Amino acid sequence: MGKARMEAFSDGVIAVIITVMVLELKVPHDEDIAALAPLFPVFLTYVLSFVYIGIYWNNHHHMLHACSQVTGSVLWANLHLLFWLSLVPFTTGWMGENHFAAVPTALYGGVLLMAAIAYWILQQLIIAAQGPDSLLKKAVGGDWKGKLSPFVYVVAILAAFKAQWISQALYFAVALIWLVPDKRIENALRSKELP
Amino acid sequence: MGKARMEAFSDGVIAVIITVMVLELKVPHDEDIAALAPLFPVFLTYVLSFVYIGIYWNNHHHMLHACSQVTGSVLWANLHLLFWLSLVPFTTGWMGENHFAAVPTALYGGVLLMAAIAYWILQQLIIAAQGPDSLLKKAVGGDWKGKLSPFVYVVAILAAFKAQWISQALYFAVALIWLVPDKRIENALRSKELP
Amino acid sequence: MGKARMEAFSDGVIAVIITVMVLELKVPHDEDIAALAPLFPVFLTYVLSFVYIGIYWNNHHHMLHACSQVTGSVLWANLHLLFWLSLVPFTTGWMGENHFAAVPTALYGGVLLMAAIAYWILQQLIIAAQGPDSLLKKAVGGDWKGKLSPFVYVVAILAAFKAQWISQALYFAVALIWLVPDKRIENALRSKELP
Amino acid sequence: MGKARMEAFSDGVIAVIITVMVLELKVPHDEDIAALAPLFPVFLTYVLSFVYIGIYWNNHHHMLHACSQVTGSVLWANLHLLFWLSLVPFTTGWMGENHFAAVPTALYGGVLLMAAIAYWILQQLIIAAQGPDSLLKKAVGGDWKGKLSPFVYVVAILAAFKAQWISQALYFAVALIWLVPDKRIENALRSKELP
C-alpha cells in the first residue's frame, strides 16, 4: 500500500485548514485603522496557529519521508491527527475573538495536546510497522521535544485559569522549540543514503 | 486513461469536504464553558461525519488501488459519489444544530444512503471494466458490509420519526463496522503481488 | 515545462469550487420539512452547477491528456478559465436564492458563456503550441459541441428576460449534451497508442 | 529531501486562497441589476487579487522548477510566503467593501509588500542552497522586476493617504509587469537542457 495518496490527502486537508483559519479574520465594515484594532488579537492567534499547523505539516513531511509502508492502522492514526488539527481554526477563532480569555485559552491548549498525542500515536505505529530496525525510530531518538510538549500543554491549560499570559507564553515557547526543523530525521536519512 | 488525476481530484474534494464541515462549528461570542454547551451536539455530529468521510476516503483509496483503468462512466460514477458526500457538511450542520431532531436525522441518513448507493455503482462499474477476472471483484467477495449498510440506513431513516436515538445508534454502528479497514482488498492485492 | 503541476493546481481549484458551492446551501434554523422548501431551488441550482463543474473538470482532464507541453500563455489561459469557473458558486447562490429570477438567471448564463470562451481559447492555444500535427486538433475535430454551446448560452441569456424557464431548459440541455464524455479525444489517443 | 510535496502543499494552499477569495463576493438578497452595483468594487478587487495570486503561483512554479533540493529553511521561507498570501483574501475583501478607501488600500499594498519580500527571501535561500553555480541565480539575473516591485508598493502605500487612485494604478501596473511570464528562467532551463 503506497504512501503517496495518504501524503496527498494530508497535504490537502492541512492546506485547507491553514487557509480556512484566515476566514476567522472577519472583514470589518468600517474603513479606518480603528476598525482593525479588535482584529489584532485574532491576527496574533492566527499567526500562532499558522506556525503550529506549519510545524505539523513540516514534521509530518519528515516523518512520512522516513516511512516506507502504510498499514490500515497508520491510515486511521493519520486521520485521527487530522481530526484534531481540523479543530484548530475553531479554537483559534474562539481564543482570538475573546481576547485570550480563560476557557478559550485552555481549550486552545487542549486541542494542541490532543494533536500532540495523535502525532505520537502515529509515530509509534509507523515505528512498529517498520520493525526492530526502524529508520524512523533511530531518527527520532530520544524525542525530547515530543515528550516535553504534552507536559507544557497541560501546564498551559491549568495556567489559563490563573493567568492567561503564562499559557500564551508557553504556547509560543513550544512553537519556537519546534520551529527548528527536525534535523534528527534529516541526518538519519542522509547517513543512510550516503553511507 | 490514467487514474492518477481522478484520485488527486477525489482527494482534493474529500479534503475540502472534511475540513469545511468544521465551519459548522460556529465560534461562540461568549467566553465561558456554558457557551460551548449548545455546540456539543454539533461536535458529536462532526465526529460522526468525520469518521464517515474518513471511511469513504479509506475505502475509495483501497478500491482505486485495485483498479487499473478508468473509463468515462467510472469518472462520472466517481463524481456522483462526490456529489452525495459534498452534502454531508449540510446534513451534519442541520442535524447538529437541531439537536438530532426527526427530519434532520432522517435526511442525514438519506444522504448516507445515497452515498452508499453511489459507492456501490462505482464499484460495479470498475468491476465491469475489469472483465471476468476482475481483481476488485475477488477482493470485494461477498461484500456483506456494502450490502448490509443501505438496509441499516433505511431502518434508521424510518426510526428517526419514532425515536431518533435508534437512528443515531444505527449510524454509529455502521461506522464501527466499516472502521475496520477493508482487509479483503489488501489481501487480494498481496496474494497477487506475492504469488 | 511539465504539465503535472498545472493539472494539480487546476484540480485543487476545481475541487475547492465544487465544494465551496455547497456552502450556499445555508443550514436552516428550523427542524421540519417546511424549512427545506426554500432551499429546494438552491439545491436544484447546486446540482446543475455541480454537473457543469464536473463536465469542465472531465473535459479539462481529457484535453490536458492530449497535451504534451505547457507554455506561458497556456498557463495564463488556464488561469483565465479557472477565474470564470470560480464565479460559478456566486451565480449559483444568487440564482438559487432568488428562485430563478430574470437577472440572476441571465448572469448565470453570462458566466457559463465566459467560461466556454475561456475554454475555447485554452484549447486553441494548446493546439497552436502543438503545431500542424496537433493531436488535440484531430481529437477535437469539428467540435460542434464547443461551437454550439456559446450560441445556446446567448439565447438563454436573452430568454431570461422573457421566460426564465426557457433559459433553465437550455442550461439543462447543454449540460446533457456535454455529459457524454468526449469520445473523440479518447478515440484519437487510443488510435495513436494502438496503431 | 524532495520538493514534490512542498510543491503539492503550496499548490493546495494557493488553490484554496484563490477560491476562498470569491466568498467575499457575498450573494445579494435582491434580484435586480441594482443589487450588483455595490459588488462592483469588490469584483474589481477580486480580479486584481486573482491576477496577483496567479502571478505568484506562476512564478513559484517556475522558481521551483529551477530548484533541485529543498532544505529546512527553504520549507519555512515557503510557509512564510504562503502566510502573507493567505492574508490577501482579507485585504481584498476589506478594500472592496470600503470602495478603495485610504487605510484598506494601504493595507492591501502592505500585504503585497510583505509577500514580495517573502518571495525574495525564498529565492535567495534557494540560490544559496544551490551554491556558486546556481541555475536559479543565472535565470533570475538582474531581477529588475523583483527589485522594482517593493519600491512601487511603498509608493502606493504612501499615495493611499493622498489619492487612492494612484495606489490602484500602481497595483495594476505591477501586475501588468509581472503578467509577462518569467522568460528568464524558462530560457536558462532550456539552454541547460538543450546545450
Side-chain angles (χ1 to χ4, degrees), chain A residues 11 19 22-23 25 27-31 33 39 46 50 55 57-58 60-61 179, chain D residues 1 5 9 13 16-17 20 24 75-76 79 83 86 90 94 97-98 101 103-104:
Chain A
D11 281 356
T19 325
V22 89
L23 294 178
L25 274 175
V27 173
H29 290 293
D30 293 327
E31 64 181 58
I33 288 188
L39 284 177
Y46 175 60
F50 193 99
I55 289 166
W57 177 74
N58 217 328
H60 192 261
H61 184 154
L179 257 180
Chain D
M1 185 63 49
R5 208 181 154 187
F9 183 69
V13 172
V16 182
I17 290 172
V20 152
E24 294 300 332
L75 278 176
W76 277 104
L79 277 167
F83 174 77
S86 81
F90 174 79
W94 202 36
E97 265 193 30
N98 289 287
V103 182

mmCIF file of all heavy atoms in Angstrom, chain A residues 11 19 22-23 25 27-31 33 39 46 50 55 57-58 60-61 179, chain D residues 1 5 9 13 16-17 20 24 75-76 79 83 86 90 94 97-98 101 103-104:
data_model
loop_
_atom_site.group_PDB
_atom_site.id
_atom_site.type_symbol
_atom_site.label_atom_id
_atom_site.label_comp_id
_atom_site.label_asym_id
_atom_site.label_seq_id
_atom_site.Cartn_x
_atom_site.Cartn_y
_atom_site.Cartn_z
ATOM 1 N N ASP A 11 -1.855 16.548 2.846
ATOM 2 C CA ASP A 11 -1.498 17.876 2.347
ATOM 3 C C ASP A 11 -2.743 18.680 2.032
ATOM 4 O O ASP A 11 -2.830 19.863 2.359
ATOM 5 C CB ASP A 11 -0.660 17.751 1.075
ATOM 6 C CG ASP A 11 0.774 17.410 1.379
ATOM 7 O OD1 ASP A 11 1.112 17.355 2.572
ATOM 8 O OD2 ASP A 11 1.538 17.194 0.445
ATOM 9 N N THR A 19 -5.748 27.603 5.503
ATOM 10 C CA THR A 19 -6.330 28.717 4.760
ATOM 11 C C THR A 19 -7.687 29.098 5.314
ATOM 12 O O THR A 19 -8.071 30.276 5.314
ATOM 13 C CB THR A 19 -6.461 28.354 3.268
ATOM 14 O OG1 THR A 19 -5.366 27.545 2.889
ATOM 15 C CG2 THR A 19 -6.489 29.598 2.422
ATOM 16 N N VAL A 22 -8.008 31.726 8.124
ATOM 17 C CA VAL A 22 -7.986 33.159 7.857
ATOM 18 C C VAL A 22 -9.405 33.708 7.724
ATOM 19 O O VAL A 22 -9.624 34.921 7.853
ATOM 20 C CB VAL A 22 -7.118 33.468 6.611
ATOM 21 C CG1 VAL A 22 -7.928 33.408 5.347
ATOM 22 C CG2 VAL A 22 -6.447 34.815 6.743
ATOM 23 N N LEU A 23 -10.377 32.826 7.490
ATOM 24 C CA LEU A 23 -11.769 33.291 7.397
ATOM 25 C C LEU A 23 -12.268 33.800 8.748
ATOM 26 O O LEU A 23 -13.279 34.506 8.812
ATOM 27 C CB LEU A 23 -12.684 32.169 6.888
ATOM 28 C CG LEU A 23 -12.440 31.720 5.453
ATOM 29 C CD1 LEU A 23 -13.371 30.571 5.082
ATOM 30 C CD2 LEU A 23 -12.646 32.862 4.479
ATOM 31 N N LEU A 25 -10.703 35.890 10.451
ATOM 32 C CA LEU A 25 -10.407 37.327 10.383
ATOM 33 C C LEU A 25 -11.524 37.981 9.580
ATOM 34 O O LEU A 25 -11.415 38.187 8.375
ATOM 35 C CB LEU A 25 -9.079 37.563 9.662
ATOM 36 C CG LEU A 25 -7.783 37.521 10.453
ATOM 37 C CD1 LEU A 25 -6.616 37.656 9.493
ATOM 38 C CD2 LEU A 25 -7.730 38.627 11.492
ATOM 39 N N VAL A 27 -13.835 40.466 7.747
ATOM 40 C CA VAL A 27 -13.622 41.786 7.154
ATOM 41 C C VAL A 27 -14.469 42.813 7.906
ATOM 42 O O VAL A 27 -15.689 42.662 7.993
ATOM 43 C CB VAL A 27 -14.007 41.764 5.658
ATOM 44 C CG1 VAL A 27 -13.949 43.155 5.062
ATOM 45 C CG2 VAL A 27 -13.090 40.819 4.898
ATOM 46 N N PRO A 28 -13.834 43.864 8.492
ATOM 47 C CA PRO A 28 -14.630 44.855 9.229
ATOM 48 C C PRO A 28 -15.402 45.760 8.273
ATOM 49 O O PRO A 28 -15.015 45.923 7.117
ATOM 50 C CB PRO A 28 -13.580 45.654 10.014
ATOM 51 C CG PRO A 28 -12.316 45.470 9.269
ATOM 52 C CD PRO A 28 -12.407 44.168 8.517
ATOM 53 N N HIS A 29 -16.494 46.361 8.795
ATOM 54 C CA HIS A 29 -17.314 47.207 7.928
ATOM 55 C C HIS A 29 -16.771 48.620 7.837
ATOM 56 O O HIS A 29 -16.998 49.301 6.845
ATOM 57 C CB HIS A 29 -18.766 47.217 8.412
ATOM 58 C CG HIS A 29 -19.429 45.904 8.187
ATOM 59 N ND1 HIS A 29 -19.686 45.419 6.919
ATOM 60 C CD2 HIS A 29 -19.839 44.943 9.043
ATOM 61 C CE1 HIS A 29 -20.245 44.228 7.014
ATOM 62 N NE2 HIS A 29 -20.332 43.904 8.286
ATOM 63 N N ASP A 30 -16.070 49.077 8.886
ATOM 64 C CA ASP A 30 -15.526 50.433 8.843
ATOM 65 C C ASP A 30 -14.209 50.442 8.091
ATOM 66 O O ASP A 30 -13.602 49.393 7.868
ATOM 67 C CB ASP A 30 -15.342 50.976 10.260
ATOM 68 C CG ASP A 30 -16.699 51.172 10.914
ATOM 69 O OD1 ASP A 30 -17.649 51.506 10.184
ATOM 70 O OD2 ASP A 30 -16.807 50.943 12.132
ATOM 71 N N GLU A 31 -13.778 51.637 7.737
ATOM 72 C CA GLU A 31 -12.633 51.737 6.840
ATOM 73 C C GLU A 31 -11.408 52.385 7.478
ATOM 74 O O GLU A 31 -10.416 52.605 6.805
ATOM 75 C CB GLU A 31 -13.034 52.521 5.577
ATOM 76 C CG GLU A 31 -13.402 53.960 5.880
ATOM 77 C CD GLU A 31 -13.816 54.741 4.635
ATOM 78 O OE1 GLU A 31 -14.777 54.298 3.981
ATOM 79 O OE2 GLU A 31 -13.190 55.761 4.345
ATOM 80 N N ILE A 33 -8.309 52.820 10.663
ATOM 81 C CA ILE A 33 -7.389 51.927 11.362
ATOM 82 C C ILE A 33 -8.038 51.379 12.636
ATOM 83 O O ILE A 33 -7.798 50.230 13.025
ATOM 84 C CB ILE A 33 -6.066 52.672 11.685
ATOM 85 C CG1 ILE A 33 -5.276 52.863 10.385
ATOM 86 C CG2 ILE A 33 -5.243 51.921 12.709
ATOM 87 C CD1 ILE A 33 -3.886 53.412 10.576
ATOM 88 N N LEU A 39 -9.391 43.322 15.713
ATOM 89 C CA LEU A 39 -8.912 42.139 14.993
ATOM 90 C C LEU A 39 -7.499 41.741 15.405
ATOM 91 O O LEU A 39 -7.047 40.651 15.067
ATOM 92 C CB LEU A 39 -8.927 42.393 13.482
ATOM 93 C CG LEU A 39 -10.296 42.344 12.815
ATOM 94 C CD1 LEU A 39 -10.159 42.695 11.345
ATOM 95 C CD2 LEU A 39 -10.901 40.954 12.968
ATOM 96 N N TYR A 46 -3.968 33.924 14.874
ATOM 97 C CA TYR A 46 -3.823 33.328 13.549
ATOM 98 C C TYR A 46 -2.357 33.024 13.255
ATOM 99 O O TYR A 46 -2.026 31.937 12.759
ATOM 100 C CB TYR A 46 -4.410 34.274 12.499
ATOM 101 C CG TYR A 46 -4.203 33.806 11.087
ATOM 102 C CD1 TYR A 46 -4.713 32.585 10.659
ATOM 103 C CD2 TYR A 46 -3.481 34.564 10.173
ATOM 104 C CE1 TYR A 46 -4.520 32.144 9.369
ATOM 105 C CE2 TYR A 46 -3.283 34.130 8.881
ATOM 106 C CZ TYR A 46 -3.805 32.918 8.484
ATOM 107 O OH TYR A 46 -3.600 32.481 7.204
ATOM 108 N N PHE A 50 -1.004 29.407 12.547
ATOM 109 C CA PHE A 50 -0.350 29.161 11.257
ATOM 110 C C PHE A 50 0.995 28.479 11.489
ATOM 111 O O PHE A 50 1.335 27.509 10.817
ATOM 112 C CB PHE A 50 -0.166 30.492 10.517
ATOM 113 C CG PHE A 50 0.199 30.352 9.074
ATOM 114 C CD1 PHE A 50 -0.768 30.468 8.093
ATOM 115 C CD2 PHE A 50 1.505 30.107 8.672
ATOM 116 C CE1 PHE A 50 -0.451 30.351 6.748
ATOM 117 C CE2 PHE A 50 1.837 29.976 7.333
ATOM 118 C CZ PHE A 50 0.863 30.099 6.369
ATOM 119 N N ILE A 55 4.323 23.729 11.476
ATOM 120 C CA ILE A 55 5.205 22.770 12.150
ATOM 121 C C ILE A 55 4.700 21.348 11.949
ATOM 122 O O ILE A 55 5.471 20.439 11.628
ATOM 123 C CB ILE A 55 5.298 23.090 13.658
ATOM 124 C CG1 ILE A 55 6.098 24.374 13.879
ATOM 125 C CG2 ILE A 55 5.917 21.931 14.433
ATOM 126 C CD1 ILE A 55 5.952 24.942 15.277
ATOM 127 N N TRP A 57 2.785 20.215 9.547
ATOM 128 C CA TRP A 57 2.972 19.790 8.163
ATOM 129 C C TRP A 57 4.427 19.408 7.922
ATOM 130 O O TRP A 57 4.730 18.369 7.325
ATOM 131 C CB TRP A 57 2.532 20.894 7.192
ATOM 132 C CG TRP A 57 2.798 20.486 5.795
ATOM 133 C CD1 TRP A 57 2.095 19.561 5.056
ATOM 134 C CD2 TRP A 57 3.880 20.905 4.978
ATOM 135 N NE1 TRP A 57 2.678 19.401 3.832
ATOM 136 C CE2 TRP A 57 3.772 20.212 3.755
ATOM 137 C CE3 TRP A 57 4.928 21.815 5.156
ATOM 138 C CZ2 TRP A 57 4.677 20.397 2.712
ATOM 139 C CZ3 TRP A 57 5.835 21.998 4.116
ATOM 140 C CH2 TRP A 57 5.698 21.291 2.907
ATOM 141 N N ASN A 58 5.331 20.264 8.414
ATOM 142 C CA ASN A 58 6.761 20.054 8.247
ATOM 143 C C ASN A 58 7.221 18.721 8.856
ATOM 144 O O ASN A 58 7.889 17.913 8.202
ATOM 145 C CB ASN A 58 7.473 21.212 8.961
ATOM 146 C CG ASN A 58 8.692 21.664 8.220
ATOM 147 O OD1 ASN A 58 9.345 20.845 7.578
ATOM 148 N ND2 ASN A 58 8.980 22.937 8.292
ATOM 149 N N HIS A 60 5.320 16.182 9.750
ATOM 150 C CA HIS A 60 4.595 15.112 9.073
ATOM 151 C C HIS A 60 5.331 14.736 7.789
ATOM 152 O O HIS A 60 5.508 13.554 7.466
ATOM 153 C CB HIS A 60 3.178 15.634 8.758
ATOM 154 C CG HIS A 60 2.216 14.587 8.315
ATOM 155 N ND1 HIS A 60 1.913 14.377 7.000
ATOM 156 C CD2 HIS A 60 1.468 13.708 9.019
ATOM 157 C CE1 HIS A 60 1.013 13.409 6.905
ATOM 158 N NE2 HIS A 60 0.722 12.980 8.116
ATOM 159 N N HIS A 61 5.730 15.772 7.066
ATOM 160 C CA HIS A 61 6.528 15.625 5.851
ATOM 161 C C HIS A 61 7.788 14.791 6.133
ATOM 162 O O HIS A 61 8.062 13.813 5.439
ATOM 163 C CB HIS A 61 6.907 17.049 5.403
ATOM 164 C CG HIS A 61 7.655 17.140 4.118
ATOM 165 N ND1 HIS A 61 7.616 18.260 3.320
ATOM 166 C CD2 HIS A 61 8.478 16.291 3.489
ATOM 167 C CE1 HIS A 61 8.381 18.075 2.267
ATOM 168 N NE2 HIS A 61 8.915 16.890 2.343
ATOM 169 N N LEU A 179 10.089 25.036 15.867
ATOM 170 C CA LEU A 179 10.374 25.737 14.612
ATOM 171 C C LEU A 179 11.679 25.270 13.996
ATOM 172 O O LEU A 179 11.825 25.240 12.765
ATOM 173 C CB LEU A 179 10.458 27.248 14.861
ATOM 174 C CG LEU A 179 9.235 28.036 14.416
ATOM 175 C CD1 LEU A 179 9.423 29.497 14.699
ATOM 176 C CD2 LEU A 179 8.958 27.796 12.940
ATOM 177 N N MET D 1 15.966 15.572 0.447
ATOM 178 C CA MET D 1 14.559 15.945 0.704
ATOM 179 C C MET D 1 13.907 16.428 -0.597
ATOM 180 O O MET D 1 14.358 17.410 -1.191
ATOM 181 C CB MET D 1 14.538 17.055 1.769
ATOM 182 C CG MET D 1 13.169 17.483 2.249
ATOM 183 S SD MET D 1 12.216 16.181 3.079
ATOM 184 C CE MET D 1 13.418 15.546 4.247
ATOM 185 N N ARG D 5 6.524 17.301 -2.506
ATOM 186 C CA ARG D 5 5.459 17.520 -1.550
ATOM 187 C C ARG D 5 5.323 18.992 -1.189
ATOM 188 O O ARG D 5 4.230 19.465 -0.918
ATOM 189 C CB ARG D 5 5.692 16.669 -0.292
ATOM 190 C CG ARG D 5 4.389 16.326 0.368
ATOM 191 C CD ARG D 5 4.518 15.523 1.619
ATOM 192 N NE ARG D 5 3.360 15.756 2.465
ATOM 193 C CZ ARG D 5 3.247 15.301 3.690
ATOM 194 N NH1 ARG D 5 4.201 14.567 4.209
ATOM 195 N NH2 ARG D 5 2.174 15.581 4.405
ATOM 196 N N PHE D 9 1.863 20.949 -1.562
ATOM 197 C CA PHE D 9 1.264 21.688 -0.453
ATOM 198 C C PHE D 9 1.035 23.152 -0.841
ATOM 199 O O PHE D 9 -0.033 23.717 -0.587
ATOM 200 C CB PHE D 9 2.168 21.599 0.778
ATOM 201 C CG PHE D 9 1.602 22.269 1.988
ATOM 202 C CD1 PHE D 9 0.500 21.745 2.634
ATOM 203 C CD2 PHE D 9 2.154 23.439 2.473
ATOM 204 C CE1 PHE D 9 -0.032 22.368 3.751
ATOM 205 C CE2 PHE D 9 1.639 24.070 3.588
ATOM 206 C CZ PHE D 9 0.540 23.534 4.222
ATOM 207 N N VAL D 13 -2.518 25.177 -0.927
ATOM 208 C CA VAL D 13 -2.805 26.420 -0.194
ATOM 209 C C VAL D 13 -3.197 27.527 -1.165
ATOM 210 O O VAL D 13 -4.194 28.228 -0.958
ATOM 211 C CB VAL D 13 -1.586 26.842 0.658
ATOM 212 C CG1 VAL D 13 -1.799 28.217 1.255
ATOM 213 C CG2 VAL D 13 -1.344 25.824 1.768
ATOM 214 N N VAL D 16 -6.681 27.053 -2.530
ATOM 215 C CA VAL D 16 -7.741 27.419 -1.575
ATOM 216 C C VAL D 16 -7.821 28.939 -1.449
ATOM 217 O O VAL D 16 -8.914 29.516 -1.449
ATOM 218 C CB VAL D 16 -7.502 26.764 -0.204
ATOM 219 C CG1 VAL D 16 -8.631 27.122 0.746
ATOM 220 C CG2 VAL D 16 -7.407 25.259 -0.330
ATOM 221 N N ILE D 17 -6.660 29.615 -1.377
ATOM 222 C CA ILE D 17 -6.661 31.074 -1.246
ATOM 223 C C ILE D 17 -7.420 31.714 -2.405
ATOM 224 O O ILE D 17 -8.302 32.555 -2.207
ATOM 225 C CB ILE D 17 -5.206 31.621 -1.227
ATOM 226 C CG1 ILE D 17 -4.509 31.229 0.082
ATOM 227 C CG2 ILE D 17 -5.185 33.132 -1.393
ATOM 228 C CD1 ILE D 17 -3.026 31.562 0.113
ATOM 229 N N VAL D 20 -11.181 30.876 -2.066
ATOM 230 C CA VAL D 20 -11.847 31.395 -0.879
ATOM 231 C C VAL D 20 -12.128 32.892 -1.023
ATOM 232 O O VAL D 20 -13.110 33.410 -0.501
ATOM 233 C CB VAL D 20 -10.983 31.080 0.366
ATOM 234 C CG1 VAL D 20 -11.196 32.076 1.463
ATOM 235 C CG2 VAL D 20 -11.302 29.668 0.872
ATOM 236 N N GLU D 24 -15.865 36.429 -0.599
ATOM 237 C CA GLU D 24 -16.089 37.823 -0.205
ATOM 238 C C GLU D 24 -17.134 38.486 -1.097
ATOM 239 O O GLU D 24 -17.679 39.521 -0.738
ATOM 240 C CB GLU D 24 -14.778 38.615 -0.249
ATOM 241 C CG GLU D 24 -13.742 38.172 0.771
ATOM 242 C CD GLU D 24 -14.236 38.306 2.198
ATOM 243 O OE1 GLU D 24 -15.080 39.171 2.461
ATOM 244 O OE2 GLU D 24 -13.796 37.523 3.059
ATOM 245 N N LEU D 75 11.814 25.299 3.270
ATOM 246 C CA LEU D 75 10.439 24.933 3.650
ATOM 247 C C LEU D 75 9.787 26.057 4.447
ATOM 248 O O LEU D 75 8.629 26.407 4.216
ATOM 249 C CB LEU D 75 10.447 23.653 4.493
ATOM 250 C CG LEU D 75 10.528 22.318 3.757
ATOM 251 C CD1 LEU D 75 10.615 21.177 4.754
ATOM 252 C CD2 LEU D 75 9.322 22.117 2.855
ATOM 253 N N TRP D 76 10.534 26.627 5.400
ATOM 254 C CA TRP D 76 9.935 27.673 6.234
ATOM 255 C C TRP D 76 9.791 28.987 5.494
ATOM 256 O O TRP D 76 8.822 29.721 5.708
ATOM 257 C CB TRP D 76 10.722 27.835 7.542
ATOM 258 C CG TRP D 76 10.265 26.809 8.527
ATOM 259 C CD1 TRP D 76 10.922 25.682 8.885
ATOM 260 C CD2 TRP D 76 9.013 26.789 9.206
ATOM 261 N NE1 TRP D 76 10.152 24.947 9.757
ATOM 262 C CE2 TRP D 76 8.982 25.606 9.971
ATOM 263 C CE3 TRP D 76 7.911 27.639 9.253
ATOM 264 C CZ2 TRP D 76 7.892 25.255 10.774
ATOM 265 C CZ3 TRP D 76 6.826 27.298 10.041
ATOM 266 C CH2 TRP D 76 6.826 26.124 10.781
ATOM 267 N N LEU D 79 6.636 28.600 3.661
ATOM 268 C CA LEU D 79 5.467 28.807 4.522
ATOM 269 C C LEU D 79 5.286 30.291 4.841
ATOM 270 O O LEU D 79 4.150 30.776 4.944
ATOM 271 C CB LEU D 79 5.617 27.999 5.819
ATOM 272 C CG LEU D 79 5.197 26.545 5.704
ATOM 273 C CD1 LEU D 79 5.662 25.758 6.920
ATOM 274 C CD2 LEU D 79 3.680 26.426 5.571
ATOM 275 N N PHE D 83 2.017 32.429 4.164
ATOM 276 C CA PHE D 83 1.334 33.183 5.214
ATOM 277 C C PHE D 83 0.846 34.527 4.687
ATOM 278 O O PHE D 83 -0.326 34.881 4.851
ATOM 279 C CB PHE D 83 2.267 33.396 6.416
ATOM 280 C CG PHE D 83 1.664 34.286 7.462
ATOM 281 C CD1 PHE D 83 0.705 33.794 8.328
ATOM 282 C CD2 PHE D 83 2.022 35.621 7.555
ATOM 283 C CE1 PHE D 83 0.132 34.623 9.284
ATOM 284 C CE2 PHE D 83 1.453 36.453 8.509
ATOM 285 C CZ PHE D 83 0.499 35.956 9.363
ATOM 286 N N SER D 86 -1.905 34.244 2.274
ATOM 287 C CA SER D 86 -3.180 33.844 2.884
ATOM 288 C C SER D 86 -3.949 35.053 3.414
ATOM 289 O O SER D 86 -5.137 34.956 3.704
ATOM 290 C CB SER D 86 -2.945 32.845 4.010
ATOM 291 O OG SER D 86 -2.558 33.514 5.204
ATOM 292 N N PHE D 90 -8.389 38.569 2.900
ATOM 293 C CA PHE D 90 -8.849 39.550 3.886
ATOM 294 C C PHE D 90 -8.701 40.979 3.355
ATOM 295 O O PHE D 90 -9.656 41.754 3.371
ATOM 296 C CB PHE D 90 -8.054 39.385 5.189
ATOM 297 C CG PHE D 90 -8.357 40.441 6.210
ATOM 298 C CD1 PHE D 90 -9.501 40.365 6.984
ATOM 299 C CD2 PHE D 90 -7.510 41.530 6.373
ATOM 300 C CE1 PHE D 90 -9.786 41.355 7.919
ATOM 301 C CE2 PHE D 90 -7.789 42.525 7.296
ATOM 302 C CZ PHE D 90 -8.935 42.440 8.077
ATOM 303 N N TRP D 94 -11.632 43.699 2.384
ATOM 304 C CA TRP D 94 -11.730 44.982 3.084
ATOM 305 C C TRP D 94 -11.657 46.154 2.109
ATOM 306 O O TRP D 94 -12.442 47.097 2.193
ATOM 307 C CB TRP D 94 -10.628 45.094 4.147
ATOM 308 C CG TRP D 94 -10.932 46.073 5.230
ATOM 309 C CD1 TRP D 94 -12.164 46.335 5.774
ATOM 310 C CD2 TRP D 94 -10.009 46.927 5.909
ATOM 311 N NE1 TRP D 94 -12.060 47.289 6.750
ATOM 312 C CE2 TRP D 94 -10.749 47.679 6.854
ATOM 313 C CE3 TRP D 94 -8.644 47.118 5.817
ATOM 314 C CZ2 TRP D 94 -10.155 48.608 7.697
ATOM 315 C CZ3 TRP D 94 -8.048 48.042 6.666
ATOM 316 C CH2 TRP D 94 -8.799 48.781 7.598
ATOM 317 N N GLU D 97 -14.975 46.136 -0.066
ATOM 318 C CA GLU D 97 -16.196 46.531 0.630
ATOM 319 C C GLU D 97 -16.222 48.012 0.958
ATOM 320 O O GLU D 97 -17.290 48.610 1.108
ATOM 321 C CB GLU D 97 -16.333 45.735 1.934
ATOM 322 C CG GLU D 97 -17.185 44.505 1.774
ATOM 323 C CD GLU D 97 -17.574 43.911 3.117
ATOM 324 O OE1 GLU D 97 -17.702 44.664 4.093
ATOM 325 O OE2 GLU D 97 -17.724 42.686 3.172
ATOM 326 N N ASN D 98 -15.043 48.618 1.134
ATOM 327 C CA ASN D 98 -14.977 50.030 1.506
ATOM 328 C C ASN D 98 -14.648 50.916 0.318
ATOM 329 O O ASN D 98 -14.182 52.043 0.493
ATOM 330 C CB ASN D 98 -13.942 50.203 2.615
ATOM 331 C CG ASN D 98 -14.457 49.604 3.902
ATOM 332 O OD1 ASN D 98 -15.337 50.155 4.527
ATOM 333 N ND2 ASN D 98 -13.940 48.423 4.249
ATOM 334 N N ALA D 101 -11.119 52.744 0.020
ATOM 335 C CA ALA D 101 -10.801 53.801 0.986
ATOM 336 C C ALA D 101 -9.313 53.783 1.318
ATOM 337 O O ALA D 101 -8.595 52.833 0.972
ATOM 338 C CB ALA D 101 -11.637 53.610 2.250
ATOM 339 N N VAL D 103 -7.202 53.584 4.205
ATOM 340 C CA VAL D 103 -6.493 52.594 5.021
ATOM 341 C C VAL D 103 -6.544 51.194 4.392
ATOM 342 O O VAL D 103 -5.507 50.527 4.305
ATOM 343 C CB VAL D 103 -7.025 52.596 6.471
ATOM 344 C CG1 VAL D 103 -6.256 51.603 7.308
ATOM 345 C CG2 VAL D 103 -6.920 53.987 7.075
ATOM 346 N N PRO D 104 -7.722 50.734 3.932
ATOM 347 C CA PRO D 104 -7.729 49.417 3.282
ATOM 348 C C PRO D 104 -6.817 49.355 2.058
ATOM 349 O O PRO D 104 -6.159 48.341 1.832
ATOM 350 C CB PRO D 104 -9.202 49.239 2.879
ATOM 351 C CG PRO D 104 -9.970 50.084 3.829
ATOM 352 C CD PRO D 104 -9.089 51.260 4.116
#
